Amino acid sequence: MSGAVLVAVAAAVGNLLQGWDNATIAGAVLYIKKEFNLQGEPTVEGLIVAMSLIGATVITTFSGAVSDSIGRRPMLIISSLFYFVSGLVMLWSPNVYVLLLARLLDGFGVGLSVTIVPVYISETAPSEIRGLLNTLPQFTGSGGMFLSYCMVFGMSLMNSPSWRLMLGVLFIPSLIYLALTVFVLPESPRWLVSKGRMLEAKHVLQRLRGREDVSGEMALLVEGLGVGSKTSIEEYIIGPDDITDDQDPTATNDKIRLYGPQEGLSWIAKPVTGQSSLGLVSRRGSMENKPVPLMDPVVTLFGSVHEKLPETGSMRSVIFPNFSSMFSISGNQPKNEEWDEESLARDGEEYPSDGGDSDDNLQSPLISRQGTSVNKDLVPAPIHGSILSMRHSSVTQGDGGEQISSSMGIGGGWQLAWKWSEIEGQDGKKEGGFKRIYLHQESIGRSCRGSLVSVPGGEAPLDGEMTSAAALVSQPALYSKELMDQHPVGPAMVHPSETATKGPSWRDLFEPGVKHALVMGVGIQLLQQFSGINGVLYYTPQILEQAGVEVLLSKMGISSASASLLISAITTLLMLPCIAVAMRLMDISGRRSLLLYTIPVLIISLVILVLGSLVHMSNVVHAVISTTSVIIYFCCFVMGFGPVPNILCAEIFPTRVRGLCIATCALTFWIGDIIVTYTLPVMLTSVGLAGVFGMYAVVCLISWVFVFLKVPETKGMPLEVITEFFAVGASAGKKTN
């Protein structure tokens, strides 16, 4: 766990440099205007500031596909190099043209860090603290702004402040960032799995989690390779495995064994027959009968999951522990450890059985490269070098002939299981179907006779008692329809490297779940920018100067420009504890709740700024009201609307297209940023502060409505489960329209 925190902190230094740059140019532009006589040319002034944004926009268009190709870590290294070179060029900058070039290079570094860092942290962080760690970029960005404002304020007190030195100092922290990316950051394990490099991914996960057994998460990462599979929601009943079918009215032949943390302790999960595929939300409002008009089915679906968590204040329970799973690779099985793309060279080589046909063998691999059979009497299938199949010890026949599949914990209160079901076709032959199941315990317990009982927080079911669970059922990521057409024996699957060779495709963006998530991500990024935060940040010194803030510090003998910089430094300092609070709440209250509670405060702050500009009052009162409102606006923004859009966009897309999708969202971010930043000087001249803040208030109101209707709660959920929910919600939305 400490490894994941360390790499998140190291990666977030890239955002510290972005914040440093934002604040530095905000102060340096005051002196750039004087040297190049730009007081009457707001267009050139805006271009100097916006050139960095143009560079970020240009490189963002390529960053997604390139990061999916070469990895996340190389992109972060390239980002640090852009920062370093741009700092040196800005330190030299003999004229406006060289300055514009330097700002363009700086924008390349900013674009890569802002786009890749949230993705990198999301792909390396445990689901339980993913929100906290992904708020770090907001914290380090504000910290960089504070340090930069302090530096610029100190330089502004000099007789001849040097804007070149203000901007050029960037090369020093960029060297530190370069060292961190080269020597500290590993490659994203999800990216490694997407390329079939399983051994590297396993070693990285062991380092990040600080433990040897990362088999459950490895299995989850493999399942995250799929895009566009058909997913349904079913309801399961979990109870002790000694309950007979006569005792259980919901009994079916489909069973999944859930192992407990104690030796010999296990439960059986059975699907509830006769239930709707939307059984997950049947008891708390179905998708067909949404409680709020126009609310997105995805929001209802995610909300139903969080409402049904056990009453323990935690997303874990005894029923769904993190245990040593069957997917782990024991030390005496060296050949099975060679589950990597390099091992494809050994096509045709048979892998001997490692023995142990018992389901209770938790150290045997759930998936291995060997031909197996579900029934020993069947003739084994031909060995295929790229085939992976379920081992006999993992999918066995129960006493009644039913198939029993075992499961593994994947964090966040979820279990991952596979089930092999056989049905008799019209010709009398049995046909198999391989299913992947994500199970999640709900807070409702029921006895075997059907009466509702209470499940004490965190306790295991009593004898004869059962509890309900929601299940996302779909086709495994490594399932091959073409392979199944060859009629192999057992539930065969392809090697992950074969899935990886397909690579990301623009066509995948039009899968219902991906498209649904992309619309939400683009929408929230666009609204974030038009709420005006970056325009306010870039021009905070000038905005506060126009508001008369120099009145507060005039008695100290500080010039108006220096006073504005000092107020900006204090403002960013006050942001830091607010972001720290948001980091704590991100995985407790959740992303959606933070947005819904902080955006109204933004609206109120902006309305007060509008009224303060329209109502005549003394200079001191006007300065106090303006400064206080701006500080409140900034502090609430960095608690919600600042970090949450990037966090959400890094969580809601499948692994294989995450780079493409995050680049699309980031491109929207930068285009909106350019529009706001470039037009703000003109808007201040034409409609004044009152008009500018009035428009921002209207956008914030629209944003609140958008969040309420369209943005789901993703806290504590594995990334792969989140993408499955979007697929289900998108399909349900089509049915209800």
Side-chain angles (χ1 to χ4, degrees):
M1 191 70 72
S2 60
V5 175
L6 175 62
V7 299
V9 171
V13 174
N15 293 77
L16 183 146
L17 299 180
Q18 180 217 4
W20 180 290
D21 174 73
N22 287 350
T24 303
I25 192 62
V29 73
L30 300 174
Y31 304 100
I32 293 174
K33 288 195 303 182
K34 294 180 181 179
E35 178 170 336
F36 297 117
N37 299 319
L38 302 177
Q39 288 84 352
E41 300 182 33
T43 302
V44 178
E45 174 193 346
L47 185 60
I48 292 175
V49 176
M51 185 58 70
S52 175
L53 309 182
I54 294 173
T57 304
V58 171
I59 203 165
T60 296
T61 59
F62 308 101
S63 62
V66 175
S67 69
D68 283 338
S69 176
I70 69 174
R72 322 303 191 200
R73 179 174 175 266
M75 299 295 282
L76 295 178
I77 294 175
I78 294 172
S79 172
S80 65
L81 291 174
F82 277 128
Y83 277 128
F84 176 72
V85 173
S86 66
L88 293 178
V89 177
M90 285 188 288
L91 186 62
W92 171 52
S93 294
N95 52 52
V96 173
Y97 303 106
V98 175
L99 177 60
L100 291 175
L101 174 62
R103 296 288 298 158
L104 182 68
L105 295 175
D106 177 69
F108 291 161
V110 170
L112 289 180
S113 61
V114 170
T115 304
I116 304 301
V117 168
V119 176
Y120 180 82
I121 294 178
S122 286
E123 292 184 343
T124 56
S127 58
E128 294 83 357
I129 59 171
R130 188 177 61 242
L132 182 150
L133 295 183
N134 234 338
T135 313
L136 275 173
Q138 186 73 41
F139 186 87
T140 57
S142 296
M145 290 175 59
F146 171 70
L147 295 175
S148 180
Y149 272 128
C150 290
M151 178 196 70
V152 174
F153 170 72
M155 291 183 177
S156 70
L157 299 178
M158 302 170 58
N159 294 330
S160 300
S162 172
W163 61 263
R164 291 179 177 84
L165 186 59
M166 294 178 186
L167 297 175
V169 169
L170 178 68
F171 85 91
I172 297 177
S174 65
L175 274 179
I176 300 175
Y177 184 44
L178 176 61
L180 291 174
T181 56
V182 172
F183 299 109
V184 176
L185 298 186
E187 184 53 83
S188 162
R190 281 180 167 85
W191 182 86
L192 290 172
V193 167
S194 73
K195 298 302 179 183
R197 295 158 61 175
M198 308 303 292
L199 278 180
E200 292 181 59
K202 178 188 173 184
H203 295 154
V204 170
L205 273 179
Q206 289 173 336
R207 170 186 168 186
L208 294 175
R209 303 296 181 257
R211 63 176 186 268
E212 288 296 318
D213 183 11
V214 292
S215 44
E217 194 165 356
M218 282 291 295
L220 178 66
L221 267 54
V222 171
E223 288 300 333
L225 298 178
V227 177
S229 61
K230 184 178 180 181
T231 304
S232 62
I233 301 180
E234 299 177 4
E235 192 169 5
Y236 276 67
I237 295 297
I238 302 175
D241 61 0
D242 57 356
I243 295 180
T244 65
D245 290 347
D246 294 336
Q247 292 176 298
D248 184 7
T250 66
T252 69
N253 286 334
D254 295 324
K255 297 180 180 179
I256 301 175
R257 178 163 292 152
L258 310 176
Y259 289 96
Q262 302 174 5
E263 184 176 358
L265 181 62
S266 64
W267 295 274
I268 292 295
K270 307 176 184 179
V272 178
T273 59
Q275 294 289 322
S276 165
S277 63
L278 300 179
L280 175 62
V281 292
S282 61
R283 290 190 295 274
R284 296 182 187 268
S286 67
M287 290 184 185
E288 289 84 354
N289 299 296
K290 296 188 282 281
V292 179
L294 303 179
M295 179 169 283
D296 197 315
V298 172
V299 177
T300 305
L301 180 59
F302 275 85
S304 67
V305 173
H306 294 291
E307 287 173 356
K308 293 181 178 184
L309 293 179
E311 304 287 339
T312 60
S314 171
M315 297 195 67
R316 298 175 182 268
S317 73
V318 173
I319 294 181
F320 288 169
N322 284 326
F323 50 83
S324 298
S325 64
M326 286 89 48
F327 194 77
S328 62
I329 301 173
S330 56
N332 61 351
Q333 297 162 346
K335 288 189 177 182
N336 286 335
E337 284 195 358
E338 299 300 324
W339 191 38
D340 206 336
E341 62 181 1
E342 291 83 1
S343 65
L344 290 177
R346 291 186 288 273
D347 282 354
E349 177 182 351
E350 295 192 15
Y351 282 71
S353 173
D354 50 8
D357 287 339
S358 170
D359 271 346
D360 294 329
N361 179 15
L362 299 186
Q363 295 301 321
S364 61
L366 177 63
I367 298 178
S368 63
R369 288 189 61 198
Q370 63 180 54
T372 61
S373 62
V374 177
N375 191 317
K376 291 184 178 180
D377 296 333
L378 298 178
V379 179
I383 299 298
H384 187 283
S386 62
I387 292 177
L388 293 166
S389 62
M390 296 289 292
R391 293 183 69 253
H392 177 69
S393 63
S394 297
V395 178
T396 63
Q397 287 193 320
D399 296 336
E402 73 276 7
Q403 296 300 320
I404 300 178
S405 173
S406 301
S407 69
M408 61 181 65
I410 55 176
W414 290 86
Q415 287 247 344
L416 171 61
W418 293 268
K419 181 173 64 176
W420 175 256
S421 301
E422 289 186 340
I423 59 175
E424 187 172 322
Q426 296 179 353
D427 55 358
K429 296 182 179 180
K430 288 187 176 181
E431 297 179 354
F434 197 37
K435 295 181 180 180
R436 175 196 65 213
I437 302 175
Y438 292 121
L439 276 170
H440 187 270
Q441 181 198 1
E442 299 178 7
S443 60
I444 300 175
R446 64 177 73 180
S447 69
C448 61
R449 294 179 177 85
S451 62
L452 295 178
V453 297
S454 173
V455 179
E459 296 181 6
L462 302 174
D463 292 340
E465 184 179 303
M466 293 179 289
T467 185
S468 58
L472 289 170
V473 182
S474 62
Q475 175 182 297
L478 303 184
Y479 176 90
S480 172
K481 185 63 172 66
E482 294 77 11
L483 185 59
M484 293 304 298
D485 291 339
Q486 301 173 14
H487 305 290
V489 178
M493 295 184 294
V494 300
H495 193 280
S497 61
E498 288 194 12
T499 300
T501 57
K502 298 178 181 178
S505 170
W506 288 100
R507 184 171 53 188
D508 292 332
L509 302 185
F510 295 96
E511 292 290 342
V514 178
K515 182 171 63 176
H516 200 95
L518 193 58
V519 169
M520 192 209 80
V522 168
I524 197 170
Q525 291 284 6
L526 198 61
L527 289 170
Q528 183 209 49
Q529 287 305 305
F530 289 149
S531 68
I533 181 62
N534 279 324
V536 175
L537 284 175
Y538 284 131
Y539 292 94
T540 291
Q542 292 168 282
I543 290 175
L544 295 178
E545 184 178 349
Q546 291 185 27
V549 73
E550 70 273 6
V551 176
L552 297 175
L553 300 173
S554 60
K555 294 183 180 180
M556 299 174 58
I558 298 177
S559 65
S560 60
S562 298
S564 297
L565 293 170
L566 179 59
I567 292 296
S568 297
I570 296 173
T571 300
T572 53
L573 178 62
L574 293 176
M575 291 181 187
L576 297 180
C578 296
I579 302 174
V581 172
M583 291 172 66
R584 173 61 178 165
L585 296 178
M586 198 65 69
D587 293 305
I588 299 176
S589 299
R591 294 84 155 124
R592 174 180 164 87
S593 297
L594 284 176
L595 287 175
L596 292 177
Y597 285 111
T598 56
I599 291 178
V601 182
L602 300 182
I603 297 173
I604 294 173
S605 300
L606 291 170
V607 170
I608 292 176
L609 282 171
V610 173
L611 295 177
S613 299
L614 296 177
V615 178
H616 295 286
M617 58 188 71
S618 66
N619 290 337
V620 174
V621 174
H622 183 263
V624 170
I625 291 177
S626 299
T627 304
T628 302
S629 298
V630 168
I631 290 175
I632 293 175
Y633 176 88
F634 282 161
C635 291
C636 289
F637 188 92
V638 297
M639 290 182 66
F641 223 169
V644 170
N646 286 339
I647 293 176
L648 287 174
C649 290
E651 292 177 333
I652 60 179
F653 303 115
T655 299
R656 208 168 79 194
V657 294
R658 186 171 290 127
L660 288 176
C661 292
I662 199 69
T664 303
C665 294
L667 187 62
T668 304
F669 173 93
W670 291 118
I671 291 175
D673 200 348
I674 290 174
I675 294 173
V676 171
T677 305
Y678 192 79
T679 59
L680 184 59
V682 179
M683 291 171 60
L684 287 173
T685 303
S686 58
V687 299
L689 280 174
V692 170
F693 289 132
M695 288 186 285
Y696 291 165
V698 172
V699 173
C700 286
L701 180 60
I702 297 173
S703 301
W704 189 92
V705 175
F706 180 84
V707 170
F708 181 74
L709 296 177
K710 299 294 183 182
V711 177
E713 181 54 72
T714 60
K715 65 176 180 180
M717 301 176 68
L719 297 181
E720 290 72 15
V721 175
I722 292 174
T723 59
E724 291 290 327
F725 269 106
F726 267 95
V728 175
S731 299
K734 284 185 176 181
K735 294 178 181 179
T736 57
N737 290 337

